[in-house]
Amino acid sequence: MLTGRVIGRATATAKHPSLAGWRLLLVQTLDIEGNADGFPELVIDQLGCGKHDLVLLTSDGAAVREMVGVDNTPIRWATMGVLDEDQVSPGKKK
């Protein structure tokens, strides 16, 4: 599991049938200090996360396939929770 920050939404005019009805987000993964780590990921969201939300992500293929209900879905990442800012780095001052 990783933490990330929602940076936007994705819209697809054509997508894999297993993604029909799913909300797609662009999420920037974060390192332990809260800095960007790597490229943003395309994530399915069932929680209603919005831009700038801090989220907990999973890339567990079995969990994502179970969420979608299809064994051959191309999606890898999904939101698992929304985090409070204070939970991420309690000692870090903003």
Side-chain angles (χ1 to χ4, degrees):
M1 289 191 198
L2 292 174
T3 58
R5 179 139 344 250
V6 178
I7 59 174
R9 293 176 49 185
T11 304
T13 55
K15 57 186 170 184
H16 192 272
S18 67
L19 300 177
W22 283 95
R23 182 182 172 125
L24 301 174
L25 301 176
L26 286 174
V27 177
Q28 175 63 60
T29 55
L30 304 174
D31 64 15
I32 194 140
E33 298 294 323
N35 301 313
D37 185 26
F39 294 104
E41 300 289 348
L42 184 64
V43 175
I44 58 171
D45 174 49
Q46 63 181 356
L47 305 174
C49 298
K51 193 170 183 179
H52 305 295
D53 280 349
L54 193 61
V55 294
L56 183 64
L57 303 173
T58 183
S59 65
D60 178 12
V64 174
R65 286 190 301 271
E66 186 176 329
M67 287 172 66
V68 174
V70 177
D71 286 337
N72 68 343
T73 185
I75 199 73
R76 179 176 175 186
W77 293 92
T79 56
M80 296 298 288
V82 181
L83 301 173
D84 291 336
E85 292 290 331
D86 294 338
Q87 293 177 343
V88 177
S89 51
K92 189 175 178 181
K93 301 292 181 197
K94 298 197 183 211

